[in-house]
Structures are given as C-alpha cells and as structure tokens.
Amino acid sequence: MKTLAIPPIVLLLLAYWTYVATEQDIRSFLPALIFSTIWVIILLVNYEKYTINGLLASLRTPGHEKIYGSYILKLDDNGLYSISPLGESSYHWHAVTSAELSRQYLIINLIGNTAFPIPIDAIGLSKAQAARDFIQQKISSPPALPAKPSSI
C-alpha cells in the first residue's frame, strides 16, 4: 500500500518543481494536484479491500493449509505444552511474559513475538479466568532453586 502512494507524491513534487522553476500559472499545477488527490482518495477508500485481498492471496500460497486444524494447549506446573498441526512445543514458565483476558480472547504472551490467542468461546469464561489466574501465579512466583549438591 505504501508503494502505491509513492507515484502521486512523486507526481506532485515534479509538477510543483516544474511550476516553481518555470514560473508558470497555477493552472499548470492543478491537473497534477487533482490527479494525485483522486489517486490518494481511491487508495484510502479501498485500503481495507486491498489489505484483505493481499492477506487472502498470501494464504492461498502452498504451505499455509498446514496451519489449519485443531490445537491443544496444556498448562501444568512445569509450563505450557502445545500440540498443533505443525508439531509440538513446550515452554517453561520463564518464557511466559503475561496472560491477558479480553472480551473475546485469553492471550498468553511469550518472550519475543509469540502468543497463544485462545478464543473464550472455545473454553468458556470461567476456564479462561482460571487459566489466566493460574498463569499469573506461575509467572509471578520466583523460579525454584535447584537442590544444593551434596558433597561426598
């Protein structure tokens, strides 16, 4: 989308430069101004459509069909364990930064740009609240220290 906004800006700059350099009447600058304004308005009106079409086109590329399917996320004292169509992963509690509850999702944020958005409709509000409270308890408590080795 940003690259589509470049041509009208360049056109306006060239038209303005020509207008200033040749000291012509303002009417020589108006066609470029009108054309660029229409171009930008069309981009703004169709921004959402272009974005959705681009997203759908990228999802139609081979390989994306592998991410669809059922996901399982298990919570226990050791951390999170996820099973997805792409594989299995486990995360210790120190990898979890927060658990947030919105109107529609329980979002479990991990270090970096990873998160588990869980629809509340899929698990129910009471389970979502209990999971959030459990996660917050686990990430707020200090990690257990390893046992001191005994000397022989």
Side-chain angles (χ1 to χ4, degrees):
M1 284 302 296
K2 291 177 183 175
T3 58
L4 290 175
I6 291 173
I9 293 170
V10 170
L11 178 65
L12 275 176
L13 290 174
L14 287 173
Y16 183 74
W17 179 70
T18 304
Y19 163 70
V20 170
T22 59
E23 297 179 6
Q24 294 182 5
D25 188 17
I26 188 74
R27 288 178 281 174
S28 63
F29 180 65
L30 284 178
L33 179 64
I34 292 170
F35 179 77
S36 296
T37 304
I38 291 171
W39 186 316
V40 170
I41 289 171
I42 289 171
L43 279 179
L44 292 175
V45 168
N46 294 308
Y47 178 77
E48 187 174 332
K49 182 178 83 171
Y50 290 142
T51 304
I52 290 172
N53 287 343
L55 176 64
L56 292 175
S58 71
L59 288 176
R60 281 189 224 103
T61 59
H64 276 88
E65 64 275 356
K66 292 179 184 178
I67 64 172
Y68 300 112
S70 57
Y71 286 73
I72 298 171
L73 184 64
K74 297 179 183 180
L75 310 174
D76 64 21
D77 289 331
N78 298 321
L80 306 173
Y81 184 71
S82 94
I83 303 170
S84 74
L86 296 176
E88 300 176 8
S89 300
S90 61
Y91 305 92
H92 295 284
W93 286 117
H94 63 270
V96 180
T97 59
S98 67
E100 303 167 12
L101 198 58
S102 71
R103 288 184 186 176
Q104 297 175 341
Y105 292 96
L106 167 63
I107 302 170
I108 303 170
N109 295 302
L110 304 178
I111 294 174
N113 293 331
T114 307
F116 291 106
I118 303 164
I120 291 178
D121 293 342
I123 61 172
L125 182 59
S126 61
K127 281 187 180 180
Q129 290 170 336
R132 180 202 54 201
D133 295 342
F134 178 75
I135 293 167
Q136 287 176 340
Q137 174 197 6
K138 288 297 181 182
I139 63 176
S140 65
S141 61
L145 296 173
K148 189 174 185 180
S150 61
S151 58
I152 299 180

